[in-house]
PDB file of all heavy atoms in Angstrom:
ATOM      1  N   SER A1448     -83.426  18.879  94.347  1.00 85.00           N
ATOM      2  CA  SER A1448     -82.599  17.738  94.764  1.00 85.00           C
ATOM      3  C   SER A1448     -82.834  16.535  93.850  1.00 85.00           C
ATOM      4  O   SER A1448     -81.895  15.808  93.509  1.00 85.00           O
ATOM      5  CB  SER A1448     -82.916  17.358  96.217  1.00 85.00           C
ATOM      6  OG  SER A1448     -84.278  16.993  96.352  1.00 85.00           O
ATOM      7  N   GLU A1449     -84.101  16.340  93.402  1.00 83.00           N
ATOM      8  CA  GLU A1449     -84.391  15.263  92.455  1.00 83.00           C
ATOM      9  C   GLU A1449     -83.694  15.528  91.120  1.00 83.00           C
ATOM     10  O   GLU A1449     -83.168  14.607  90.489  1.00 83.00           O
ATOM     11  CB  GLU A1449     -85.894  15.147  92.239  1.00 83.00           C
ATOM     12  CG  GLU A1449     -86.649  14.541  93.414  1.00 83.00           C
ATOM     13  CD  GLU A1449     -88.131  14.407  93.119  1.00 83.00           C
ATOM     14  OE1 GLU A1449     -88.541  14.677  91.963  1.00 83.00           O
ATOM     15  OE2 GLU A1449     -88.886  14.040  94.030  1.00 83.00           O
ATOM     16  N   ALA A1450     -83.697  16.781  90.697  1.00 84.00           N
ATOM     17  CA  ALA A1450     -83.042  17.139  89.433  1.00 84.00           C
ATOM     18  C   ALA A1450     -81.542  16.877  89.516  1.00 84.00           C
ATOM     19  O   ALA A1450     -80.937  16.343  88.580  1.00 84.00           O
ATOM     20  CB  ALA A1450     -83.298  18.610  89.108  1.00 84.00           C
ATOM     21  N   ARG A1451     -80.935  17.233  90.651  1.00 88.00           N
ATOM     22  CA  ARG A1451     -79.497  17.000  90.814  1.00 88.00           C
ATOM     23  C   ARG A1451     -79.188  15.507  90.853  1.00 88.00           C
ATOM     24  O   ARG A1451     -78.170  15.061  90.300  1.00 88.00           O
ATOM     25  CB  ARG A1451     -79.011  17.674  92.093  1.00 88.00           C
ATOM     26  CG  ARG A1451     -78.901  19.194  91.961  1.00 88.00           C
ATOM     27  CD  ARG A1451     -78.600  19.832  93.282  1.00 88.00           C
ATOM     28  NE  ARG A1451     -78.364  21.275  93.136  1.00 88.00           N
ATOM     29  CZ  ARG A1451     -78.449  22.137  94.132  1.00 88.00           C
ATOM     30  NH1 ARG A1451     -78.767  21.707  95.348  1.00 88.00           N
ATOM     31  NH2 ARG A1451     -78.230  23.420  93.925  1.00 88.00           N
ATOM     32  N   SER A1452     -80.045  14.734  91.503  1.00 90.00           N
ATOM     33  CA  SER A1452     -79.852  13.284  91.560  1.00 90.00           C
ATOM     34  C   SER A1452     -79.936  12.672  90.165  1.00 90.00           C
ATOM     35  O   SER A1452     -79.108  11.829  89.787  1.00 90.00           O
ATOM     36  CB  SER A1452     -80.903  12.661  92.476  1.00 90.00           C
ATOM     37  OG  SER A1452     -80.794  11.263  92.475  1.00 90.00           O
ATOM     38  N   LYS A1453     -80.937  13.113  89.385  1.00 88.00           N
ATOM     39  CA  LYS A1453     -81.086  12.606  88.020  1.00 88.00           C
ATOM     40  C   LYS A1453     -79.900  13.031  87.161  1.00 88.00           C
ATOM     41  O   LYS A1453     -79.415  12.263  86.316  1.00 88.00           O
ATOM     42  CB  LYS A1453     -82.391  13.109  87.422  1.00 88.00           C
ATOM     43  CG  LYS A1453     -82.689  12.603  86.010  1.00 88.00           C
ATOM     44  CD  LYS A1453     -82.806  11.091  85.961  1.00 88.00           C
ATOM     45  CE  LYS A1453     -84.073  10.598  86.590  1.00 88.00           C
ATOM     46  NZ  LYS A1453     -84.252   9.126  86.376  1.00 88.00           N
ATOM     47  N   LEU A1454     -79.420  14.254  87.364  1.00 89.00           N
ATOM     48  CA  LEU A1454     -78.248  14.728  86.617  1.00 89.00           C
ATOM     49  C   LEU A1454     -77.037  13.858  86.930  1.00 89.00           C
ATOM     50  O   LEU A1454     -76.271  13.503  86.018  1.00 89.00           O
ATOM     51  CB  LEU A1454     -77.960  16.190  86.961  1.00 89.00           C
ATOM     52  CG  LEU A1454     -76.692  16.789  86.333  1.00 89.00           C
ATOM     53  CD1 LEU A1454     -76.768  16.757  84.813  1.00 89.00           C
ATOM     54  CD2 LEU A1454     -76.473  18.218  86.825  1.00 89.00           C
ATOM     55  N   ASN A1455     -76.853  13.498  88.203  1.00 93.00           N
ATOM     56  CA  ASN A1455     -75.726  12.623  88.574  1.00 93.00           C
ATOM     57  C   ASN A1455     -75.828  11.281  87.861  1.00 93.00           C
ATOM     58  O   ASN A1455     -74.816  10.719  87.416  1.00 93.00           O
ATOM     59  CB  ASN A1455     -75.709  12.410  90.090  1.00 93.00           C
ATOM     60  CG  ASN A1455     -75.250  13.642  90.839  1.00 93.00           C
ATOM     61  OD1 ASN A1455     -74.524  14.467  90.297  1.00 93.00           O
ATOM     62  ND2 ASN A1455     -75.667  13.788  92.083  1.00 93.00           N
ATOM     63  N   ASP A1456     -77.076  10.757  87.741  1.00 92.00           N
ATOM     64  CA  ASP A1456     -77.270   9.492  87.018  1.00 92.00           C
ATOM     65  C   ASP A1456     -76.830   9.633  85.564  1.00 92.00           C
ATOM     66  O   ASP A1456     -76.179   8.739  85.002  1.00 92.00           O
ATOM     67  CB  ASP A1456     -78.741   9.076  87.066  1.00 92.00           C
ATOM     68  CG  ASP A1456     -79.183   8.689  88.476  1.00 92.00           C
ATOM     69  OD1 ASP A1456     -78.302   8.421  89.306  1.00 92.00           O
ATOM     70  OD2 ASP A1456     -80.401   8.676  88.740  1.00 92.00           O
ATOM     71  N   TYR A1457     -77.184  10.772  84.936  1.00 92.00           N
ATOM     72  CA  TYR A1457     -76.830  10.973  83.530  1.00 92.00           C
ATOM     73  C   TYR A1457     -75.345  11.258  83.361  1.00 92.00           C
ATOM     74  O   TYR A1457     -74.737  10.850  82.362  1.00 92.00           O
ATOM     75  CB  TYR A1457     -77.669  12.112  82.934  1.00 92.00           C
ATOM     76  CG  TYR A1457     -78.951  11.610  82.303  1.00 92.00           C
ATOM     77  CD1 TYR A1457     -80.091  11.395  83.064  1.00 92.00           C
ATOM     78  CD2 TYR A1457     -79.018  11.302  80.946  1.00 92.00           C
ATOM     79  CE1 TYR A1457     -81.263  10.907  82.503  1.00 92.00           C
ATOM     80  CE2 TYR A1457     -80.174  10.819  80.367  1.00 92.00           C
ATOM     81  CZ  TYR A1457     -81.292  10.625  81.150  1.00 92.00           C
ATOM     82  OH  TYR A1457     -82.442  10.131  80.587  1.00 92.00           O
ATOM     83  N   VAL A1458     -74.749  11.950  84.334  1.00 93.00           N
ATOM     84  CA  VAL A1458     -73.295  12.182  84.268  1.00 93.00           C
ATOM     85  C   VAL A1458     -72.560  10.843  84.322  1.00 93.00           C
ATOM     86  O   VAL A1458     -71.606  10.603  83.570  1.00 93.00           O
ATOM     87  CB  VAL A1458     -72.848  13.099  85.429  1.00 93.00           C
ATOM     88  CG1 VAL A1458     -71.327  13.104  85.546  1.00 93.00           C
ATOM     89  CG2 VAL A1458     -73.356  14.519  85.210  1.00 93.00           C
ATOM     90  N   THR A1459     -73.027   9.946  85.198  1.00 93.00           N
ATOM     91  CA  THR A1459     -72.424   8.602  85.292  1.00 93.00           C
ATOM     92  C   THR A1459     -72.603   7.840  83.979  1.00 93.00           C
ATOM     93  O   THR A1459     -71.678   7.171  83.502  1.00 93.00           O
ATOM     94  CB  THR A1459     -73.078   7.814  86.443  1.00 93.00           C
ATOM     95  OG1 THR A1459     -72.914   8.541  87.665  1.00 93.00           O
ATOM     96  CG2 THR A1459     -72.448   6.447  86.580  1.00 93.00           C
ATOM     97  N   ALA A1460     -73.819   7.963  83.399  1.00 94.00           N
ATOM     98  CA  ALA A1460     -74.092   7.274  82.130  1.00 94.00           C
ATOM     99  C   ALA A1460     -73.193   7.820  81.017  1.00 94.00           C
ATOM    100  O   ALA A1460     -72.683   7.064  80.183  1.00 94.00           O
ATOM    101  CB  ALA A1460     -75.562   7.437  81.752  1.00 94.00           C
ATOM    102  N   VAL A1461     -73.005   9.141  80.994  1.00 94.00           N
ATOM    103  CA  VAL A1461     -72.146   9.752  79.960  1.00 94.00           C
ATOM    104  C   VAL A1461     -70.696   9.304  80.137  1.00 94.00           C
ATOM    105  O   VAL A1461     -69.980   9.043  79.156  1.00 94.00           O
ATOM    106  CB  VAL A1461     -72.262  11.294  80.022  1.00 94.00           C
ATOM    107  CG1 VAL A1461     -71.177  11.945  79.164  1.00 94.00           C
ATOM    108  CG2 VAL A1461     -73.634  11.743  79.532  1.00 94.00           C
ATOM    109  N   LYS A1462     -70.250   9.189  81.385  1.00 94.00           N
ATOM    110  CA  LYS A1462     -68.879   8.734  81.636  1.00 94.00           C
ATOM    111  C   LYS A1462     -68.662   7.308  81.142  1.00 94.00           C
ATOM    112  O   LYS A1462     -67.547   6.933  80.778  1.00 94.00           O
ATOM    113  CB  LYS A1462     -68.562   8.816  83.131  1.00 94.00           C
ATOM    114  CG  LYS A1462     -68.343  10.229  83.639  1.00 94.00           C
ATOM    115  CD  LYS A1462     -68.020  10.234  85.119  1.00 94.00           C
ATOM    116  CE  LYS A1462     -67.786  11.654  85.624  1.00 94.00           C
ATOM    117  NZ  LYS A1462     -67.516  11.677  87.093  1.00 94.00           N
ATOM    118  N   SER A1463     -69.759   6.515  81.146  1.00 94.00           N
ATOM    119  CA  SER A1463     -69.628   5.115  80.701  1.00 94.00           C
ATOM    120  C   SER A1463     -69.427   5.015  79.198  1.00 94.00           C
ATOM    121  O   SER A1463     -69.138   3.925  78.688  1.00 94.00           O
ATOM    122  CB  SER A1463     -70.874   4.325  81.115  1.00 94.00           C
ATOM    123  OG  SER A1463     -72.017   4.724  80.370  1.00 94.00           O
ATOM    124  N   ILE A1464     -69.581   6.126  78.465  1.00 94.00           N
ATOM    125  CA  ILE A1464     -69.394   6.102  77.003  1.00 94.00           C
ATOM    126  C   ILE A1464     -67.917   5.879  76.655  1.00 94.00           C
ATOM    127  O   ILE A1464     -67.589   5.182  75.691  1.00 94.00           O
ATOM    128  CB  ILE A1464     -69.888   7.419  76.366  1.00 94.00           C
ATOM    129  CG1 ILE A1464     -71.409   7.556  76.563  1.00 94.00           C
ATOM    130  CG2 ILE A1464     -69.542   7.478  74.881  1.00 94.00           C
ATOM    131  CD1 ILE A1464     -71.956   8.900  76.115  1.00 94.00           C
ATOM    132  N   LYS A1465     -67.028   6.446  77.461  1.00 94.00           N
ATOM    133  CA  LYS A1465     -65.588   6.400  77.150  1.00 94.00           C
ATOM    134  C   LYS A1465     -65.071   4.971  76.998  1.00 94.00           C
ATOM    135  O   LYS A1465     -64.408   4.668  75.987  1.00 94.00           O
ATOM    136  CB  LYS A1465     -64.811   7.150  78.228  1.00 94.00           C
ATOM    137  CG  LYS A1465     -63.342   7.325  77.906  1.00 94.00           C
ATOM    138  CD  LYS A1465     -62.654   8.196  78.940  1.00 94.00           C
ATOM    139  CE  LYS A1465     -61.184   8.389  78.598  1.00 94.00           C
ATOM    140  NZ  LYS A1465     -60.502   9.240  79.600  1.00 94.00           N
ATOM    141  N   PRO A1466     -65.321   4.055  77.954  1.00 95.00           N
ATOM    142  CA  PRO A1466     -64.834   2.680  77.746  1.00 95.00           C
ATOM    143  C   PRO A1466     -65.480   1.990  76.553  1.00 95.00           C
ATOM    144  O   PRO A1466     -64.854   1.139  75.921  1.00 95.00           O
ATOM    145  CB  PRO A1466     -65.199   1.976  79.069  1.00 95.00           C
ATOM    146  CG  PRO A1466     -66.199   2.840  79.744  1.00 95.00           C
ATOM    147  CD  PRO A1466     -65.908   4.220  79.296  1.00 95.00           C
ATOM    148  N   ILE A1467     -66.728   2.369  76.224  1.00 94.00           N
ATOM    149  CA  ILE A1467     -67.391   1.772  75.065  1.00 94.00           C
ATOM    150  C   ILE A1467     -66.679   2.206  73.776  1.00 94.00           C
ATOM    151  O   ILE A1467     -66.495   1.405  72.852  1.00 94.00           O
ATOM    152  CB  ILE A1467     -68.880   2.168  75.027  1.00 94.00           C
ATOM    153  CG1 ILE A1467     -69.610   1.610  76.244  1.00 94.00           C
ATOM    154  CG2 ILE A1467     -69.542   1.686  73.747  1.00 94.00           C
ATOM    155  CD1 ILE A1467     -69.538   0.107  76.387  1.00 94.00           C
ATOM    156  N   VAL A1468     -66.268   3.447  73.716  1.00 94.00           N
ATOM    157  CA  VAL A1468     -65.498   3.936  72.559  1.00 94.00           C
ATOM    158  C   VAL A1468     -64.197   3.137  72.430  1.00 94.00           C
ATOM    159  O   VAL A1468     -63.789   2.755  71.330  1.00 94.00           O
ATOM    160  CB  VAL A1468     -65.201   5.443  72.717  1.00 94.00           C
ATOM    161  CG1 VAL A1468     -64.244   5.919  71.616  1.00 94.00           C
ATOM    162  CG2 VAL A1468     -66.482   6.258  72.671  1.00 94.00           C
ATOM    163  N   LYS A1469     -63.579   2.887  73.586  1.00 95.00           N
ATOM    164  CA  LYS A1469     -62.336   2.105  73.581  1.00 95.00           C
ATOM    165  C   LYS A1469     -62.607   0.677  73.098  1.00 95.00           C
ATOM    166  O   LYS A1469     -61.842   0.116  72.308  1.00 95.00           O
ATOM    167  CB  LYS A1469     -61.741   2.088  74.986  1.00 95.00           C
ATOM    168  CG  LYS A1469     -60.399   1.389  75.062  1.00 95.00           C
ATOM    169  CD  LYS A1469     -59.848   1.433  76.480  1.00 95.00           C
ATOM    170  CE  LYS A1469     -58.511   0.718  76.560  1.00 95.00           C
ATOM    171  NZ  LYS A1469     -57.986   0.708  77.961  1.00 95.00           N
ATOM    172  N   HIS A1470     -63.712   0.082  73.548  1.00 93.00           N
ATOM    173  CA  HIS A1470     -64.063  -1.276  73.116  1.00 93.00           C
ATOM    174  C   HIS A1470     -64.265  -1.333  71.603  1.00 93.00           C
ATOM    175  O   HIS A1470     -63.814  -2.277  70.943  1.00 93.00           O
ATOM    176  CB  HIS A1470     -65.347  -1.735  73.817  1.00 93.00           C
ATOM    177  CG  HIS A1470     -65.178  -1.974  75.287  1.00 93.00           C
ATOM    178  ND1 HIS A1470     -63.949  -2.225  75.857  1.00 93.00           N
ATOM    179  CD2 HIS A1470     -66.089  -1.993  76.308  1.00 93.00           C
ATOM    180  CE1 HIS A1470     -64.100  -2.388  77.160  1.00 93.00           C
ATOM    181  NE2 HIS A1470     -65.381  -2.251  77.456  1.00 93.00           N
ATOM    182  N   LEU A1471     -64.955  -0.334  71.055  1.00 93.00           N
ATOM    183  CA  LEU A1471     -65.194  -0.301  69.607  1.00 93.00           C
ATOM    184  C   LEU A1471     -63.888  -0.168  68.843  1.00 93.00           C
ATOM    185  O   LEU A1471     -63.710  -0.783  67.781  1.00 93.00           O
ATOM    186  CB  LEU A1471     -66.140   0.850  69.257  1.00 93.00           C
ATOM    187  CG  LEU A1471     -67.603   0.660  69.686  1.00 93.00           C
ATOM    188  CD1 LEU A1471     -68.384   1.958  69.525  1.00 93.00           C
ATOM    189  CD2 LEU A1471     -68.268  -0.451  68.872  1.00 93.00           C
ATOM    190  N   SER A1472     -62.978   0.617  69.376  1.00 93.00           N
ATOM    191  CA  SER A1472     -61.657   0.755  68.742  1.00 93.00           C
ATOM    192  C   SER A1472     -60.909  -0.577  68.765  1.00 93.00           C
ATOM    193  O   SER A1472     -60.279  -0.959  67.770  1.00 93.00           O
ATOM    194  CB  SER A1472     -60.852   1.829  69.478  1.00 93.00           C
ATOM    195  OG  SER A1472     -59.553   1.930  68.945  1.00 93.00           O
ATOM    196  N   GLU A1473     -60.998  -1.294  69.897  1.00 93.00           N
ATOM    197  CA  GLU A1473     -60.340  -2.603  69.994  1.00 93.00           C
ATOM    198  C   GLU A1473     -60.992  -3.612  69.052  1.00 93.00           C
ATOM    199  O   GLU A1473     -60.305  -4.446  68.446  1.00 93.00           O
ATOM    200  CB  GLU A1473     -60.419  -3.105  71.440  1.00 93.00           C
ATOM    201  CG  GLU A1473     -59.539  -2.304  72.407  1.00 93.00           C
ATOM    202  CD  GLU A1473     -59.744  -2.717  73.846  1.00 93.00           C
ATOM    203  OE1 GLU A1473     -60.619  -3.576  74.095  1.00 93.00           O
ATOM    204  OE2 GLU A1473     -59.046  -2.176  74.728  1.00 93.00           O
ATOM    205  N   MET A1474     -62.322  -3.532  68.906  1.00 91.00           N
ATOM    206  CA  MET A1474     -63.022  -4.424  67.971  1.00 91.00           C
ATOM    207  C   MET A1474     -62.534  -4.185  66.548  1.00 91.00           C
ATOM    208  O   MET A1474     -62.340  -5.131  65.768  1.00 91.00           O
ATOM    209  CB  MET A1474     -64.537  -4.170  68.045  1.00 91.00           C
ATOM    210  CG  MET A1474     -65.196  -4.733  69.309  1.00 91.00           C
ATOM    211  SD  MET A1474     -66.905  -4.168  69.504  1.00 91.00           S
ATOM    212  CE  MET A1474     -67.691  -5.013  68.126  1.00 91.00           C
ATOM    213  N   ASP A1475     -62.316  -2.927  66.202  1.00 91.00           N
ATOM    214  CA  ASP A1475     -61.833  -2.604  64.856  1.00 91.00           C
ATOM    215  C   ASP A1475     -60.431  -3.179  64.638  1.00 91.00           C
ATOM    216  O   ASP A1475     -60.123  -3.705  63.556  1.00 91.00           O
ATOM    217  CB  ASP A1475     -61.822  -1.077  64.675  1.00 91.00           C
ATOM    218  CG  ASP A1475     -61.521  -0.672  63.253  1.00 91.00           C
ATOM    219  OD1 ASP A1475     -62.231  -1.125  62.340  1.00 91.00           O
ATOM    220  OD2 ASP A1475     -60.553   0.088  63.041  1.00 91.00           O
ATOM    221  N   LYS A1476     -59.595  -3.100  65.676  1.00 90.00           N
ATOM    222  CA  LYS A1476     -58.240  -3.669  65.564  1.00 90.00           C
ATOM    223  C   LYS A1476     -58.299  -5.190  65.421  1.00 90.00           C
ATOM    224  O   LYS A1476     -57.551  -5.770  64.625  1.00 90.00           O
ATOM    225  CB  LYS A1476     -57.425  -3.291  66.791  1.00 90.00           C
ATOM    226  CG  LYS A1476     -57.067  -1.819  66.864  1.00 90.00           C
ATOM    227  CD  LYS A1476     -56.296  -1.506  68.133  1.00 90.00           C
ATOM    228  CE  LYS A1476     -55.963  -0.016  68.219  1.00 90.00           C
ATOM    229  NZ  LYS A1476     -55.268   0.304  69.491  1.00 90.00           N
ATOM    230  N   GLU A1477     -59.165  -5.839  66.216  1.00 87.00           N
ATOM    231  CA  GLU A1477     -59.296  -7.294  66.121  1.00 87.00           C
ATOM    232  C   GLU A1477     -59.806  -7.691  64.736  1.00 87.00           C
ATOM    233  O   GLU A1477     -59.359  -8.687  64.153  1.00 87.00           O
ATOM    234  CB  GLU A1477     -60.274  -7.812  67.193  1.00 87.00           C
ATOM    235  CG  GLU A1477     -59.867  -7.526  68.632  1.00 87.00           C
ATOM    236  CD  GLU A1477     -58.604  -8.240  69.048  1.00 87.00           C
ATOM    237  OE1 GLU A1477     -58.055  -9.017  68.259  1.00 87.00           O
ATOM    238  OE2 GLU A1477     -58.134  -8.003  70.184  1.00 87.00           O
ATOM    239  N   LEU A1478     -60.717  -6.908  64.194  1.00 85.00           N
ATOM    240  CA  LEU A1478     -61.260  -7.177  62.862  1.00 85.00           C
ATOM    241  C   LEU A1478     -60.159  -7.091  61.813  1.00 85.00           C
ATOM    242  O   LEU A1478     -60.065  -7.952  60.910  1.00 85.00           O
ATOM    243  CB  LEU A1478     -62.370  -6.159  62.557  1.00 85.00           C
ATOM    244  CG  LEU A1478     -63.262  -6.455  61.347  1.00 85.00           C
ATOM    245  CD1 LEU A1478     -64.112  -7.683  61.612  1.00 85.00           C
ATOM    246  CD2 LEU A1478     -64.164  -5.266  61.052  1.00 85.00           C
ATOM    247  N   GLU A1479     -59.315  -6.085  61.937  1.00 86.00           N
ATOM    248  CA  GLU A1479     -58.200  -5.930  60.995  1.00 86.00           C
ATOM    249  C   GLU A1479     -57.231  -7.104  61.116  1.00 86.00           C
ATOM    250  O   GLU A1479     -56.738  -7.624  60.103  1.00 86.00           O
ATOM    251  CB  GLU A1479     -57.477  -4.615  61.295  1.00 86.00           C
ATOM    252  CG  GLU A1479     -56.338  -4.307  60.335  1.00 86.00           C
ATOM    253  CD  GLU A1479     -55.652  -2.992  60.658  1.00 86.00           C
ATOM    254  OE1 GLU A1479     -56.155  -2.270  61.546  1.00 86.00           O
ATOM    255  OE2 GLU A1479     -54.618  -2.700  60.042  1.00 86.00           O
ATOM    256  N   HIS A1480     -56.985  -7.549  62.353  1.00 77.00           N
ATOM    257  CA  HIS A1480     -56.074  -8.672  62.576  1.00 77.00           C
ATOM    258  C   HIS A1480     -56.643  -9.955  61.970  1.00 77.00           C
ATOM    259  O   HIS A1480     -55.911 -10.725  61.323  1.00 77.00           O
ATOM    260  CB  HIS A1480     -55.857  -8.854  64.081  1.00 77.00           C
ATOM    261  CG  HIS A1480     -54.923  -9.966  64.425  1.00 77.00           C
ATOM    262  ND1 HIS A1480     -53.571  -9.907  64.172  1.00 77.00           N
ATOM    263  CD2 HIS A1480     -55.148 -11.193  64.982  1.00 77.00           C
ATOM    264  CE1 HIS A1480     -53.003 -11.031  64.564  1.00 77.00           C
ATOM    265  NE2 HIS A1480     -53.935 -11.833  65.062  1.00 77.00           N
ATOM    266  N   ILE A1481     -57.933 -10.183  62.145  1.00 77.00           N
ATOM    267  CA  ILE A1481     -58.577 -11.384  61.581  1.00 77.00           C
ATOM    268  C   ILE A1481     -58.528 -11.343  60.057  1.00 77.00           C
ATOM    269  O   ILE A1481     -58.254 -12.343  59.387  1.00 77.00           O
ATOM    270  CB  ILE A1481     -60.037 -11.489  62.070  1.00 77.00           C
ATOM    271  CG1 ILE A1481     -60.081 -11.711  63.578  1.00 77.00           C
ATOM    272  CG2 ILE A1481     -60.765 -12.627  61.355  1.00 77.00           C
ATOM    273  CD1 ILE A1481     -61.449 -11.538  64.193  1.00 77.00           C
ATOM    274  N   GLY A1482     -58.797 -10.160  59.485  1.00 77.00           N
ATOM    275  CA  GLY A1482     -58.837 -10.005  58.036  1.00 77.00           C
ATOM    276  C   GLY A1482     -57.515 -10.261  57.353  1.00 77.00           C
ATOM    277  O   GLY A1482     -57.465 -10.539  56.148  1.00 77.00           O
ATOM    278  N   GLN A1483     -56.405 -10.191  58.085  1.00 73.00           N
ATOM    279  CA  GLN A1483     -55.094 -10.462  57.492  1.00 73.00           C
ATOM    280  C   GLN A1483     -54.857 -11.953  57.279  1.00 73.00           C
ATOM    281  O   GLN A1483     -53.969 -12.344  56.533  1.00 73.00           O
ATOM    282  CB  GLN A1483     -54.002  -9.888  58.404  1.00 73.00           C
ATOM    283  CG  GLN A1483     -53.980  -8.368  58.440  1.00 73.00           C
ATOM    284  CD  GLN A1483     -52.971  -7.850  59.445  1.00 73.00           C
ATOM    285  OE1 GLN A1483     -52.384  -8.615  60.204  1.00 73.00           O
ATOM    286  NE2 GLN A1483     -52.772  -6.538  59.447  1.00 73.00           N
ATOM    287  N   VAL A1484     -55.658 -12.798  57.957  1.00 71.00           N
ATOM    288  CA  VAL A1484     -55.447 -14.242  57.890  1.00 71.00           C
ATOM    289  C   VAL A1484     -56.621 -14.963  57.253  1.00 71.00           C
ATOM    290  O   VAL A1484     -56.462 -15.832  56.403  1.00 71.00           O
ATOM    291  CB  VAL A1484     -55.181 -14.814  59.309  1.00 71.00           C
ATOM    292  CG1 VAL A1484     -54.939 -16.318  59.250  1.00 71.00           C
ATOM    293  CG2 VAL A1484     -54.002 -14.097  59.961  1.00 71.00           C
ATOM    294  N   THR A1485     -57.834 -14.603  57.691  1.00 71.00           N
ATOM    295  CA  THR A1485     -59.037 -15.286  57.206  1.00 71.00           C
ATOM    296  C   THR A1485     -60.104 -14.255  56.887  1.00 71.00           C
ATOM    297  O   THR A1485     -59.903 -13.052  57.055  1.00 71.00           O
ATOM    298  CB  THR A1485     -59.574 -16.244  58.285  1.00 71.00           C
ATOM    299  OG1 THR A1485     -59.927 -15.473  59.449  1.00 71.00           O
ATOM    300  CG2 THR A1485     -58.552 -17.296  58.662  1.00 71.00           C
ATOM    301  N   THR A1486     -61.264 -14.738  56.451  1.00 72.00           N
ATOM    302  CA  THR A1486     -62.391 -13.840  56.229  1.00 72.00           C
ATOM    303  C   THR A1486     -62.958 -13.383  57.572  1.00 72.00           C
ATOM    304  O   THR A1486     -62.839 -14.090  58.578  1.00 72.00           O
ATOM    305  CB  THR A1486     -63.506 -14.532  55.425  1.00 72.00           C
ATOM    306  OG1 THR A1486     -64.561 -13.620  55.205  1.00 72.00           O
ATOM    307  CG2 THR A1486     -64.065 -15.724  56.183  1.00 72.00           C
ATOM    308  N   VAL A1487     -63.568 -12.200  57.578  1.00 72.00           N
ATOM    309  CA  VAL A1487     -64.131 -11.676  58.828  1.00 72.00           C
ATOM    310  C   VAL A1487     -65.611 -12.020  58.960  1.00 72.00           C
ATOM    311  O   VAL A1487     -66.239 -11.705  59.982  1.00 72.00           O
ATOM    312  CB  VAL A1487     -63.944 -10.143  58.910  1.00 72.00           C
ATOM    313  CG1 VAL A1487     -62.475  -9.792  58.957  1.00 72.00           C
ATOM    314  CG2 VAL A1487     -64.638  -9.436  57.745  1.00 72.00           C
ATOM    315  N   GLY A1488     -66.165 -12.649  57.938  1.00 76.00           N
ATOM    316  CA  GLY A1488     -67.569 -13.059  58.003  1.00 76.00           C
ATOM    317  C   GLY A1488     -68.496 -11.873  58.220  1.00 76.00           C
ATOM    318  O   GLY A1488     -68.385 -10.839  57.553  1.00 76.00           O
ATOM    319  N   ASP A1489     -69.402 -12.012  59.195  1.00 82.00           N
ATOM    320  CA  ASP A1489     -70.360 -10.945  59.466  1.00 82.00           C
ATOM    321  C   ASP A1489     -69.881 -10.017  60.576  1.00 82.00           C
ATOM    322  O   ASP A1489     -70.663  -9.217  61.109  1.00 82.00           O
ATOM    323  CB  ASP A1489     -71.723 -11.536  59.858  1.00 82.00           C
ATOM    324  CG  ASP A1489     -71.640 -12.359  61.133  1.00 82.00           C
ATOM    325  OD1 ASP A1489     -70.505 -12.671  61.566  1.00 82.00           O
ATOM    326  OD2 ASP A1489     -72.700 -12.654  61.712  1.00 82.00           O
TER     327      ASP A1489
END
């Protein structure tokens, strides 16, 4: 039962990766948009 509980925690953690991938994709788009007008700095 402890193993199943820990597995559920990791399944939840793995599911949280998907929105992070989406955020990184949006960051790349924002970076491209900024680069068309000004420098992107760091």
